[in-house]
Amino acid sequence: MNEHNPIAQLVNLIQKQWLEKTANKPSLRFVRFIIKPEEARVYEGFCKLESSEHGSLPEVFVTQLTSFENEDTFSAALIKDWLHTYEKSMALVQQVQERTLFTWDPRPFQQLLERNSGTPMDDVLVSLLGSFRQSLPQQHKQLVLALIPRQVSSTKDMKNWIANLLKKGIPAGVKLLVIDHINADHFAFHDRQFPDMVCNIHIPMDLQAAIQKLATSGNPNDPEIMLRKCVFEMGTAMKDKDLKRLHRWGQQALDATQRSGNKGLFATAHIMYAGVLFHFKKDPKIPELLERGLRIAKQGMQLNDGACLPLLVQFYGYHGAYAQIRRRFTEAINWFIQQAELAEQHKFSQQALNAWYQAAELCRRKDSGRYYEVLEKGYKSGLHLSDEEISASIYIYLLRDYYTYAHANRKHDIVQAIDEKMGRVFGNDWKSDVDNIRKNREPMILPLEIEQNEALQPLK
């Protein structure tokens, strides 16, 4: 890792705090990182780094992205993903075995998983963790299971699951690690509930300064560096609600990138400038930036500028969002459909699915006559996805909604196909699980509807 990289320095800070807070605590079984939401990627990077051969901490980290659906199925899902990852990593396992004494037999746990009839497998998970830890080379007799679920249907239920494992007795030398948001305390436990078993780590960090330092390092006359500086200054002006200063830096971004002659960079400046303005009420500069940026992106595509195709997809989405803000719902739907079709044509699967879902939801609320036609196109757009891709995408909502339509219209083959597909991903109660996930999901990147007198919420 580059020690001079500001983000790497933040990861080093996490490593040092981990050593300081967890050392010489043999009873410790559960570690909770308390972070600001915007710091999540830094902590995820820490976990993935320590799970690789480049990790520097004495423990062996295993990072799992398994989605949390409910208390009864999470342990089984973790075991399944663990065994799958282990099987895929056999080349690495063989390299480790050549250097050290490491032998672990996954077959007993595979057999228990295959024989499972849907009952909770918490005891089996605890046994697996203890077995794997015992198999580690002598210098690595500590194991950390880092849990970063792609989706969590209920933080309350996940906390209950953690408490249940702590009560059962996580094996010595094994720790669970989760990431929690500051002031949320989703996974907080009182020390008196689990004496000496719980450790909370909060590390104050200036992430924004680190990102800005990283992004703007280099030749200050380089148009890309200049654009990054302008974007950060626009962000600061936005926080200060100084629209005049925001426009000044936005114009500087346009001027600097136009001089470069790079169509992709020039179009990027337009969409970034417009994107920051989305935080304010309907600024008249937004449509001008979107229309001009769209033209530049199309020109760049004709010149074979590879950066312009994904920009064009984004411009269609921003046009749709702006039309929606203006309550021009038919126009917004058409923009989202154009975005979906272009993304699908060029195999940008996730962007296509997001756009189809935006269009379908808007049709459901504002143009019901087109709803099922658009919903069906969204359904067909994701038929090629693997189970893993389905579980981590917005496609689960399209499947859920199209299932209802197919069931009502007695399309038995489609009902059966969706049931089988979603049953593999979520289990027999997949419909209620998806409903819960949708109810608790993070807000979408762009709002579905904004009232005339409402300012835009910050984009995520």
Side-chain angles (χ1 to χ4, degrees):
M1 182 181 290
N2 182 0
E3 299 297 328
H4 299 292
N5 181 317
I7 303 300
Q9 291 173 3
L10 295 181
V11 173
N12 287 342
L13 182 62
I14 298 172
Q15 291 168 329
K16 291 175 182 176
Q17 284 292 302
W18 175 276
L19 286 170
E20 182 180 320
K21 299 288 187 180
T22 66
N24 302 316
K25 293 184 177 180
S27 300
L28 184 60
R29 297 292 185 271
F30 177 67
V31 180
R32 182 174 70 109
F33 277 136
I34 307 169
I35 72 168
K36 297 176 182 177
E38 61 268 22
E39 297 168 350
R41 290 297 176 89
V42 179
Y43 284 86
E44 289 172 14
F46 158 80
C47 291
K48 291 176 182 178
L49 173 68
E50 291 302 327
S51 297
S52 74
E53 60 189 21
H54 305 293
S56 64
L57 294 175
E59 298 97 335
V60 171
F61 277 65
V62 177
T63 298
Q64 295 282 54
L65 307 180
T66 310
S67 294
F68 180 89
E69 296 159 20
N70 60 64
E71 295 177 60
D72 294 337
T73 61
F74 192 44
S75 291
L78 284 171
I79 294 168
K80 180 181 177 182
D81 285 354
W82 183 297
L83 296 174
H84 179 64
T85 301
Y86 186 80
E87 183 181 349
K88 287 198 307 181
S89 305
M90 286 310 300
L92 177 61
V93 170
Q94 289 170 2
Q95 291 177 18
V96 173
Q97 289 173 338
E98 290 172 3
R99 300 193 304 266
T100 60
L101 293 174
F102 173 71
T103 55
W104 183 65
D105 185 3
R107 288 174 297 180
F109 303 102
Q110 184 67 53
Q111 292 167 2
L112 289 169
L113 187 65
E114 291 171 356
R115 291 202 298 266
N116 179 43
S117 58
T119 56
M121 298 190 70
D122 300 344
D123 290 323
V124 178
L125 176 63
V126 168
S127 177
L128 181 152
L129 294 173
S131 168
F132 192 86
R133 182 254 172 183
Q134 287 292 341
S135 301
L136 294 174
Q138 192 61 40
Q139 69 270 29
H140 293 299
K141 278 293 186 181
Q142 299 285 316
L143 174 66
V144 177
L145 174 57
L147 301 176
I148 310 177
R150 297 184 189 89
Q151 296 175 325
V152 176
S153 63
S154 168
T155 53
K156 180 181 178 181
D157 290 348
M158 184 169 170
K159 181 180 180 181
N160 290 340
W161 176 86
I162 294 168
N164 186 48
L165 251 63
L166 290 170
K167 291 173 183 175
K168 283 182 177 295
I170 296 173
V174 178
K175 292 186 279 287
L176 294 184
L177 168 64
V178 300
I179 295 174
D180 205 354
H181 287 176
I182 196 166
N183 298 325
D185 293 334
H186 292 305
F187 308 117
F189 295 100
H190 289 294
D191 187 61
R192 63 176 178 271
Q193 186 177 0
F194 299 105
D196 301 322
M197 297 173 64
V198 175
C199 175
N200 301 308
I201 302 177
H202 171 62
I203 306 168
M205 61 174 64
D206 192 346
L207 178 60
Q208 187 68 15
I211 293 173
Q212 183 167 354
K213 185 177 179 181
L214 179 64
T216 57
S217 61
N219 181 1
N221 295 318
D222 184 321
E224 289 192 28
I225 302 297
M226 295 172 71
L227 174 59
R228 291 173 192 163
K229 177 176 175 58
C230 291
V231 170
F232 279 110
E233 294 293 349
M234 281 192 284
T236 302
M238 178 201 71
K239 290 178 183 176
D240 295 340
K241 298 183 180 179
D242 189 337
L243 193 55
K244 184 177 180 180
R245 177 154 50 98
L246 192 161
H247 281 303
R248 186 169 70 249
W249 282 105
Q251 188 59 50
Q252 285 195 37
L254 299 181
D255 294 342
T257 52
Q258 185 175 25
R259 287 194 299 269
S260 73
N262 184 321
K263 295 291 185 184
L265 202 59
F266 194 24
T268 298
H270 281 76
I271 204 165
M272 286 185 162
Y273 186 2
V276 176
L277 287 177
F278 262 81
H279 291 263
F280 292 85
K281 294 183 178 179
K282 297 171 282 289
D283 190 289
K285 188 76 173 176
I286 295 175
E288 175 190 330
L289 290 167
L290 294 180
E291 290 162 13
R292 190 180 180 200
L294 183 63
R295 289 197 304 271
I296 295 166
K298 287 181 176 179
Q299 293 167 6
M301 283 189 63
Q302 293 174 352
L303 297 172
N304 297 317
D305 187 329
C308 287
L309 175 58
L311 284 169
L312 193 60
V313 173
Q314 290 182 60
F315 272 115
Y316 283 143
Y318 272 90
H319 270 289
Y322 186 70
Q324 195 170 337
I325 292 168
R326 304 297 298 179
R327 306 186 70 79
R328 296 171 181 164
F329 299 116
T330 298
E331 181 184 338
I333 291 166
N334 291 338
W335 278 114
F336 287 133
I337 289 174
Q338 284 187 77
Q339 182 189 27
E341 290 175 343
L342 180 64
E344 194 172 341
Q345 177 186 345
H346 293 281
K347 303 190 186 317
F348 297 159
S349 295
Q350 295 304 321
Q351 292 91 328
L353 292 170
N354 286 337
W356 281 124
Y357 185 66
Q358 292 269 28
E361 281 295 284
L362 204 49
C363 284
R364 181 180 63 81
R365 299 169 62 188
K366 301 297 179 181
D367 191 355
S368 58
R370 301 171 68 186
Y371 175 55
Y372 291 116
E373 175 191 352
V374 172
L375 181 63
E376 183 173 52
K377 289 180 178 179
Y379 162 71
K380 290 180 177 178
S381 178
L383 287 175
H384 67 284
L385 297 178
S386 67
D387 289 354
E388 185 175 1
E389 289 170 325
I390 290 170
S391 69
S393 77
I394 208 166
Y395 188 55
I396 60 175
Y397 308 139
L398 289 164
L399 282 172
R400 176 67 179 98
D401 295 339
Y402 197 69
Y403 178 92
T404 300
Y405 164 74
H407 190 273
N409 287 272
R410 300 183 180 182
K411 296 178 180 287
H412 301 299
D413 290 346
I414 292 175
V415 168
Q416 183 178 353
I418 296 176
D419 241 336
E420 290 176 358
K421 189 190 299 275
M422 294 297 277
R424 289 195 308 270
V425 176
F426 289 99
N428 293 333
D429 295 329
W430 69 265
K431 291 186 285 295
S432 59
D433 286 344
V434 171
D435 290 342
N436 286 332
I437 292 170
R438 174 147 52 182
K439 183 173 65 175
N440 294 298
R441 78 181 189 273
E442 291 288 327
M444 297 182 68
I445 291 175
L446 292 170
L448 288 174
E449 182 178 350
I450 295 176
E451 298 300 330
Q452 287 276 7
N453 60 348
E454 231 180 339
L456 268 171
Q457 294 297 311
L459 302 180
K460 290 193 178 286

